[in-house]
């Protein structure tokens, strides 16, 4: 009987330990002012990139072909088919700008450009207008993706992709790496039906 009584006393005590869901004794509530949660700025961090008018940049660029300029029209209202990225590619004092011009219907890249800030303006330092093309910034490198197609295949059915990596060197982009990926030719999710005997 004494053992049962002791167990009966221990059970309520263990259910209120700090690992359970009972009450815990954390000490008195804090009454002083709560410290500021505003993060302090890191003086070595790069400033936020300044947004540019990418459409105007492309249309006023003499290095951009007339075909791309002619195709660069709003898809809906005043929404143009351009993707814009900001980052450090050329070691300039402020962010470089990567602009991809796409088609409205199927978003195929028809031109990729890199603009480097120089003296309050932007200079075109890279151009690729061989569609389909798309440029991105990857850890300080310029990465260009090009869909590959077999003869007679549709725009929605690429046979592979070529990925070219460029790095800024001696005031220009130099190719560093080229990778080709071939896509599987199997029909996704389709299987042959069994023959009926």
């Amino acid at each position: 009987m004494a053992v049962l009584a002791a167990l009966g006393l221990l059970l309520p005590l263990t259910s209120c330990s700090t690992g359970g869901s009972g009450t815990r004794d954390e000490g008195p509530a804090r009454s002083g002012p709560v410290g500021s949660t505003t993060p302090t700025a890191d003086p070595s961090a790069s400033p936020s990139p300044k947004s540019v008018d990418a459409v105007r940049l492309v249309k006023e660029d003499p290095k951009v072909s007339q075909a791309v300029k002619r195709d660069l029209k709003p898809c809906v209202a005043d929404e143009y088919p351009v993707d814009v990225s900001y980052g450090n590619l050329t070691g300039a004092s402020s962010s470089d700008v990567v602009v991809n011009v796409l088609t409205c219907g199927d978003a195929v890249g028809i031109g990729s450009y890199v603009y480097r800030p120089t003296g309050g303006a932007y200079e075109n330092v890279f151009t690729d207008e061989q569609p389909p093309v798309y440029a991105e910034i990857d850890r300080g490198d310029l990465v260009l993706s090009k869909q590959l197609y077999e003869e007679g295949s549709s725009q929605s059915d690429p046979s592979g992709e070529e990925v070219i990596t460029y790095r800024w060197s001696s005031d220009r982009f130099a190719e560093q790496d080229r990778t080709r990926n071939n896509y599987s030719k199997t029909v996704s999710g389709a299987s042959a039906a069994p023959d009926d005997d």
Side-chain angles (χ1 to χ4, degrees), residues 141 164-169 173-178:
D141 289 336
I164 310 165
T165 303
Y166 295 93
R167 188 165 296 149
W168 185 255
S169 175
F173 282 103
E175 184 177 324
Q176 296 295 308
D177 188 45
R178 185 179 291 250

Side-chain angles (χ1 to χ4, degrees), residues 107-186:
V108 172
I110 59 173
S112 295
Y113 312 94
V114 177
Y115 292 95
R116 185 174 197 256
T118 53
Y122 286 93
E123 176 191 2
N124 181 331
V125 292
F126 182 88
T127 297
D128 190 316
E129 295 180 332
Q130 296 177 350
V133 61
Y134 196 88
E136 297 177 283
I137 300 171
D138 184 8
R139 290 170 288 188
D141 289 336
L142 176 66
V143 178
L144 210 67
S145 301
K146 291 175 169 283
Q147 298 292 318
L148 304 174
Y149 296 89
E150 292 180 347
E151 190 175 345
S153 59
S154 68
Q155 199 74 41
S156 61
D157 188 27
S159 60
E161 179 185 44
E162 194 167 50
V163 180
I164 310 165
T165 303
Y166 295 93
R167 188 165 296 149
W168 185 255
S169 175
S170 302
D171 295 330
R172 66 181 185 88
F173 282 103
E175 184 177 324
Q176 296 295 308
D177 188 45
R178 185 179 291 250
T179 304
R180 179 173 176 151
N181 303 308
N182 292 324
Y183 299 153
S184 172
K185 295 182 178 13
T186 59

Side-chain angles (χ1 to χ4, degrees), residues 45-69:
S46 300
S48 297
K50 179 182 172 184
S51 293
V52 301
D53 184 345
V55 173
R56 183 176 176 187
L57 205 58
V58 169
K59 288 198 168 188
E60 293 181 355
D61 184 355
K63 292 184 180 179
V64 175
S65 70
Q66 289 302 316
V68 170
K69 290 180 181 180

Side-chain angles (χ1 to χ4, degrees), residues 59 68-77 79-81 102 104:
K59 288 198 168 188
V68 170
K69 290 180 181 180
R70 188 172 50 250
D71 290 343
L72 183 52
K73 299 174 182 175
C75 296
V76 179
E79 296 293 322
Y80 283 85
L102 314 168
C104 285

